[in-house]
Amino acid sequence: MENKHFLITETSSAADAIINLKLKDLPSCTEMMIRTETKGPYYCINAPLNYSTETKWIAENKYLSDEKGNLDLNTAPAISGSYQGVSPMGCLSFLSAKKITKQKKETNLDNISLNAAFSIKLEVYLDKIPIDSCVIERYFMNEKIAFKQVAFSACKGRYFYPKEATNLPAIIVVSGSEGGIEKAQAIAQLLASHGFATLAISYFGLDDLAVNLAEIPLEIIEEGLDFLALQEEVNKDRIGIYGRSKGAEFALLAASYFAKIKCVVANSPTNVVYEGIKQHLPAKKSSWTFQKMPIQYVPYKFGSAILAKIKGKEYPDNTKKMEAEIPVEKIKGNILLISAIKDEIWPAYSASLMIQNRLNLNQFPYKFELALYPNSGHMLTLPFQPNNRYKKKKQCHSHGRDAGRLAKDR
């Protein structure tokens, strides 16, 4: 049935795509309220891990139609509501969890959903009366993507690839300190939908894997590389790695050991190896090992951290020379760093500058790029997914396609 007011040509689109969100034949120069809500299961990569996909996410925003009775939600400023001003796809980016359903963290990979797609309902109100609505589908993984589950000696994964494609660049995706596979999976699915073969890896937090992020073997990545090289649709000379937060540390470090990695995307990175994590506390062990030997690390000291906070300084101070610095100059391929200027978890921006300086000093022969996001924080994940962790002005995300840009160049 044709909508009376909504003009949305793309009713199914990738989760990171900007689509037309327009309305027509409205009263001219009139305040309209747009209500956005999730319909059915909805996976939000930025939500706390104990939020079920059955949680309802809702936004209500007011806009002013133009003199011709048209309204473009991507260019018209929100007058009030969940955000204000102009924000393309803002009615999706600024959803809030209203009816929260909690769940226990699933540790059996077989029971973890693919979370392939979700539906959003948009409804327009005039004087509190609904006058039209439409439903759009957004996907992480479209119907052209195949997947299979894989298990290695110390990790588990899900492999995604476009059906009937050949000579594909491939990306290993590792997420941060949350464990499990859900966040890495969403990024891997979206990259596969943009033309990559991707391997989402869980390196702790699932059954039969390490319980904590401590002394994780770098050889996990080597096994992933060997797996991808054997897939007939993959170009074995174009394999990269994407990591976010602790996964960025993992990615940079692994790439400095394994020359088969031809591209690194490190999202919210560090330039040093930090102490491992045990149940949200310092593990008193390295995060990583190689050939069963722990990698040198920077220990976390609560007293120093509190003192730095009192003084308004970053902790740790990674501008100082440290023995645990990652030898990024050994990486044999392009590097893209994605960083917020103000990262509330660790000093990713100064770490990025330290990495850049180290590469320059060593006359790094490959392509290097630093993408900065001034209006975000540590949770740089995917665009147009709500991020209630930050205030409205910080609702800015890196695009999923950033993770593939340099790999495409290879």
Side-chain angles (χ1 to χ4, degrees):
M1 186 173 106
E2 186 176 347
N3 292 99
K4 183 178 179 183
H5 298 291
F6 279 101
L7 277 172
I8 298 178
T9 55
E10 296 177 79
T11 54
S12 179
S13 56
D16 66 340
I18 296 178
I19 62 173
N20 289 324
L21 297 174
K22 297 180 179 180
L23 296 95
K24 63 175 182 176
D25 299 331
L26 300 170
S28 63
C29 303
T30 301
E31 189 177 276
M32 313 300 298
M33 196 270 281
I34 303 294
R35 177 184 171 87
T36 311
E37 65 177 70
T38 56
K39 303 294 290 183
Y42 175 73
Y43 175 72
C44 175
I45 195 171
N46 301 315
L49 293 176
N50 63 348
Y51 279 31
S52 164
T53 56
E54 298 303 320
T55 295
K56 177 73 73 174
W57 295 73
I58 297 170
E60 292 182 352
N61 298 288
K62 291 182 179 180
Y63 308 84
L64 194 66
S65 62
D66 67 17
E67 65 277 4
K68 294 181 180 180
N70 298 321
L71 175 58
D72 186 337
L73 300 179
N74 287 339
T75 59
I79 301 169
S80 62
S82 57
Y83 76 101
Q84 294 183 31
V86 176
S87 180
M89 307 296 290
C91 56
L92 273 66
S93 300
F94 293 92
L95 293 165
S96 294
K98 299 298 184 183
K99 297 178 181 179
I100 300 171
T101 303
K102 297 291 183 70
Q103 66 179 5
K104 290 185 178 180
K105 181 171 175 57
E106 180 59 65
T107 59
N108 186 329
L109 183 58
D110 292 335
N111 296 334
I112 295 176
S113 172
L114 285 173
N115 299 321
F118 55 91
S119 296
I120 301 285
K121 180 181 179 182
L122 291 93
E123 196 165 24
V124 57
Y125 286 76
L126 175 61
D127 296 329
K128 299 183 180 181
I129 298 172
I131 58 175
D132 196 17
S133 66
C134 71
V135 176
I136 61 173
E137 182 182 81
R138 305 279 278 176
Y139 58 80
F140 296 108
M141 169 183 167
N142 62 33
E143 70 283 353
K144 297 179 181 179
I145 303 303
F147 102 101
K148 58 184 175 184
Q149 219 150 271
V150 293
F152 304 105
S153 63
C155 72
K156 296 180 180 180
R158 283 177 170 171
Y159 173 57
F160 303 94
Y161 60 97
K163 299 173 184 175
E164 300 178 3
T166 59
N167 199 36
L168 292 170
I171 302 176
I172 293 172
V173 179
V174 288
S175 195
S177 60
E178 69 281 345
I181 200 169
E182 292 88 342
K183 293 181 187 293
Q185 171 180 270
I187 294 166
Q189 288 171 324
L190 198 52
L191 287 170
S193 295
H194 289 303
F196 293 88
T198 58
L199 177 62
I201 284 180
S202 172
Y203 51 98
F204 80 104
L206 293 182
D207 292 345
D208 304 320
L209 301 184
V211 176
N212 300 304
L213 203 172
E215 297 193 334
I216 304 296
L218 293 185
E219 288 86 349
I220 281 174
I221 302 303
E222 191 171 35
E223 285 189 274
L225 292 167
D226 292 341
F227 168 83
L228 287 172
L230 291 174
Q231 306 311 303
E232 61 181 5
E233 60 276 350
V234 169
N235 182 334
K236 66 180 181 180
D237 296 319
R238 300 180 69 199
I239 301 176
I241 187 169
Y242 169 98
R244 188 189 67 79
S245 189
K246 281 295 284 189
E249 180 184 318
F250 195 8
L252 288 165
L253 184 63
S256 73
Y257 277 75
F258 307 125
K260 293 178 183 178
I261 296 174
K262 300 302 180 185
C263 171
V264 183
V265 177
N267 184 337
S268 302
T270 170
N271 64 314
V272 297
V273 172
Y274 286 129
E275 185 171 351
I277 302 169
K278 181 180 180 180
Q279 297 177 349
H280 307 292
L281 295 171
K284 301 188 185 303
K285 297 178 181 179
S286 179
S287 297
W288 323 105
T289 66
F290 182 65
Q291 296 178 350
K292 299 183 179 181
M293 296 297 294
I295 305 291
Q296 190 168 7
Y297 66 95
V298 176
Y300 188 87
K301 298 179 180 178
F302 282 110
S304 299
I306 293 170
L307 185 61
K309 190 172 184 63
I310 292 172
K311 293 182 176 180
K313 295 182 178 181
E314 290 185 331
Y315 179 81
D317 183 2
N318 56 10
T319 61
K320 295 179 180 178
K321 185 70 176 175
M322 291 189 244
E323 293 298 321
E325 197 167 347
I326 299 170
V328 289
E329 70 279 2
K330 294 182 180 180
I331 294 172
K332 304 299 183 185
N334 299 335
I335 300 174
L336 169 64
L337 303 183
I338 301 171
S339 174
I341 291 178
K342 293 184 178 180
D343 187 308
E344 74 284 3
I345 299 299
W346 62 21
Y349 174 53
S350 57
S352 297
L353 296 181
M354 290 294 287
I355 290 170
Q356 184 177 41
N357 289 339
R358 181 164 182 142
L359 293 175
N360 288 339
L361 286 172
N362 286 278
Q363 298 181 324
F364 187 64
Y366 302 94
K367 187 173 181 180
F368 171 82
E369 187 173 340
L370 172 57
L372 297 176
Y373 288 81
N375 297 317
S376 190
H378 188 75
M379 288 296 289
L380 277 162
T381 53
L382 297 173
F384 318 131
Q385 286 257 300
N387 198 339
N388 301 144
R389 180 172 180 167
Y390 301 129
K391 296 178 181 179
K392 295 176 183 179
K393 67 180 181 179
K394 278 195 172 184
Q395 203 80 352
C396 176
H397 319 288
S398 70
H399 287 268
R401 278 164 285 189
D402 277 354
R405 280 192 294 138
L406 291 198
K408 287 282 191 182
D409 290 343
R410 292 296 299 168

